[in-house]
Amino acid sequence: MSVDVDLPVIPLGEESTWQTLQEHLAKARAVSRFARTDSGLVFALRHADVDAILRSDEFEFGDLIASFGRYDGVFYDWWHRTISSFNPPQHTRLRRLLGGAFTPKRLKPQRQAITDIVNEALDPCLEKGYVEAKDFAHVIPLRVMGDVLGIPREQHALYEDLTQMVAMGFQNGTAEDPELVKSVDDAVIKLGEYSRTVIEEKRRNPGPDLITAMLEERDGVERLTEQELLDHIIFMLFAGHDTTKSALPIAMMLLAKYPDQTELIRQNPDLAKDAVDEITRFEPAVLFTTRQPITDIVWKGQFLPKGIPVGQCLVSAGRDEEGMPDADTFNIQRGVYRPISFGSGTHFCLGVNLARLELEEAADPRHPYEQAGAGERAAVDAIQVGSWHQGAAHSARGTLRTIACRERMTHSCG
């Protein structure tokens, strides 16, 4: 890979980097608009550059799975049949056919259901007196996506472990482990088999759910093919669970760590929407997404060769000091900032409206978090991660398992 050797280096391969990641990124931004990782991937660091590149017609979405060292197999083939792997015009067609299922109007009836799911998830926490952040954050998106797709609750357990195994396909090192590669491929196969039975059931008994909507959605006279429908049900089961389960404990941690901001929401619940913008700016659940130039290009003085992926570092962009006063201050009343944590441009997150609904509910202090033991001690013990979480939070009694960073799919899911 051709890189500028004079660029500052972000040593993602060193475990210690993850506990001080924002410091590394701030030092890099101080001397350059770009950095490179120790694996050679060039990162765009500034908010303006990340946003512009994501929107630019001079860049396209490249081979994400290849960046994790995988070039074939069931998982590879499935991903390359999903909307995230296509550029226009194929992407435009799929976006039209899938986008109608995720409009605010269609999702509006889900608000109360999501509220109920959050309260249900808190019930066992109230009994125990503390919140297991990883379990709490795991169950909410699992139930929400299952309900939205119209899958009965008793069947949710059939796919939850499989979606987590699919997530391993987006993790550095998986491609070097043949057993893990096989497990990821097998998970995609099993999810496909399960999704096929769900499609057959919805054809017999349609309902007010997203799978039925996708079966009925048309672009003129055109519909999704059977293979496209199958692939994107797998996609939604996985994408609707994986990233949100990382974003939810971050929201809990920040609202516990900054009680003055939580009090603002308590006084004015309408601020929950602004809180989601600030949470996803301040601590994004996704480190980066990639784009590649369609021709050789010089961008703000940096040569970017054709076809070589460039990482759009969302974690750095959210803390960029250019044009953003007090970027390192958590302030839900910031107002003027337009976050890009859900992406930007053509591949703006397809499920953003659903993800925001879940995060808004998590940010609503009217839920009995304090009674459930999710005070500052519990939440910070659960997510003691320095300035960036790097992965998933574990027990509220202090266990943390750091997970090597990878690009989470929700931010390239449309």
Side-chain angles (χ1 to χ4, degrees):
M1 178 179 293
S2 175
V3 297
D4 187 340
V5 295
D6 295 324
L7 291 178
V9 177
I10 310 296
L12 297 181
E14 298 178 11
E15 186 174 343
S16 60
T17 299
W18 297 103
Q19 301 304 318
T20 56
L21 182 58
Q22 287 291 3
E23 294 179 20
H24 283 275
L25 293 170
K27 289 179 181 178
R29 284 196 305 273
V31 297
S32 177
R33 305 189 75 87
F34 292 85
R36 66 178 177 89
T37 70
D38 43 4
S39 65
L41 178 66
V42 172
F43 268 2
L45 302 174
R46 294 288 183 184
H47 181 279
D49 294 329
V50 170
D51 188 25
I53 289 174
L54 290 176
R55 292 173 174 272
S56 175
D57 292 337
E58 296 179 282
F59 292 80
E60 64 182 5
F61 201 84
D63 191 341
L64 173 63
I65 309 304
S67 70
F68 295 103
R70 239 188 113 192
Y71 304 95
D72 56 22
V74 174
F75 169 75
Y76 182 93
D77 293 342
W78 159 71
W79 179 257
H80 284 82
R81 294 193 301 266
T82 68
I83 188 172
S84 286
S85 291
F86 288 110
N87 292 295
Q90 298 97 321
H91 176 275
T92 306
R93 170 185 168 273
L94 284 171
R95 184 93 189 192
R96 283 198 300 262
L97 287 167
L98 293 167
F102 288 94
T103 63
K105 180 179 180 180
R106 189 180 288 276
L107 292 174
K108 187 176 181 180
Q110 297 297 327
R111 167 72 77 170
Q112 184 57 50
I114 294 173
T115 300
D116 294 342
I117 287 170
V118 172
N119 284 325
E120 289 170 12
L122 278 170
D123 285 343
C125 304
L126 289 166
E127 295 176 5
K128 292 185 294 187
Y130 59 85
V131 173
E132 292 279 2
K134 71 178 180 66
D135 295 334
F136 179 78
H138 168 75
V139 73
I140 291 173
L142 181 73
R143 290 181 181 174
V144 168
M145 183 51 68
D147 289 356
V148 166
L149 289 172
I151 296 173
R153 286 279 180 93
E154 61 270 19
Q155 294 184 23
H156 289 188
L158 297 176
Y159 61 82
E160 62 176 305
D161 290 340
L162 297 175
T163 62
Q164 293 184 88
M165 181 52 66
V166 171
M168 296 300 292
F170 298 90
Q171 190 158 323
N172 289 323
T174 294
E176 286 77 49
D177 185 334
E179 291 187 8
L180 192 52
V181 166
K182 184 178 185 304
S183 294
V184 171
D185 283 351
D186 287 347
V188 174
I189 291 170
K190 290 176 182 177
L191 281 171
E193 292 170 349
Y194 173 71
S195 298
R196 188 170 283 107
T197 65
V198 174
I199 292 170
E200 292 170 356
E201 173 60 26
K202 292 301 175 185
R203 283 202 169 104
R204 291 191 297 268
N205 298 295
D209 54 71
L210 291 193
I211 293 179
T212 299
M214 287 190 292
L215 284 166
E216 297 174 347
E217 194 71 34
R218 289 177 179 271
D219 179 21
V221 297
E222 188 175 11
R223 286 184 174 178
L224 292 169
T225 67
E226 192 77 7
Q227 186 65 56
E228 289 169 340
L229 185 62
L230 188 70
D231 289 332
H232 286 90
I233 291 175
I234 300 173
F235 181 82
M236 290 173 190
L237 286 171
F238 162 61
H241 181 217
D242 184 56
T243 306
T244 308
K245 76 178 181 184
S246 292
L248 284 169
I250 296 172
M252 292 172 63
M253 179 270 287
L254 289 174
L255 293 173
K257 187 176 181 180
Y258 298 99
D260 58 322
Q261 300 297 297
T262 306
E263 183 59 30
L264 291 174
I265 308 172
R266 185 176 285 111
Q267 295 173 5
N268 180 8
D270 289 342
L271 284 174
K273 295 181 179 180
D274 297 314
V276 169
D277 285 343
E278 184 67 352
I279 288 165
T280 56
R281 175 197 75 84
F282 197 75
E283 296 285 3
V286 175
L287 175 58
F288 69 95
T289 186
T290 60
R291 297 294 185 272
Q292 61 189 36
I294 59 176
T295 61
D296 289 350
I297 186 173
V298 176
W299 186 281
K300 304 291 181 66
Q302 175 64 35
F303 175 66
L304 302 174
K306 174 184 176 180
I308 301 299
V310 179
Q312 310 311 304
C313 189
L314 303 173
V315 172
S316 176
R319 299 286 189 97
D320 182 15
E321 303 84 353
E322 283 189 359
M324 189 188 308
D326 302 318
D328 287 327
T329 299
F330 183 68
N331 176 14
I332 67 169
Q333 294 181 304
R334 188 172 297 274
V336 297
Y337 177 76
R338 188 184 69 79
I340 56 173
S341 301
F342 290 103
S344 190
T346 301
H347 283 269
F348 185 68
C349 178
L350 184 67
V352 60
N353 294 315
L354 183 60
R356 289 188 64 89
L357 281 178
E358 294 177 71
L359 289 170
E360 285 171 23
E361 279 301 314
D364 190 336
R366 290 175 294 183
H367 292 294
Y369 290 121
E370 292 178 4
Q371 298 94 307
E376 183 167 355
R377 180 199 60 77
V380 174
D381 282 352
I383 315 171
Q384 194 70 32
V385 291
S387 62
W388 196 64
H389 74 109
Q390 185 187 346
H394 280 240
S395 170
R397 288 167 290 189
T399 303
L400 177 71
R401 173 170 170 254
T402 54
I403 299 176
C405 171
R406 74 235 191 239
E407 180 181 13
R408 294 293 184 99
M409 189 253 297
T410 300
H411 289 269
S412 57
C413 64

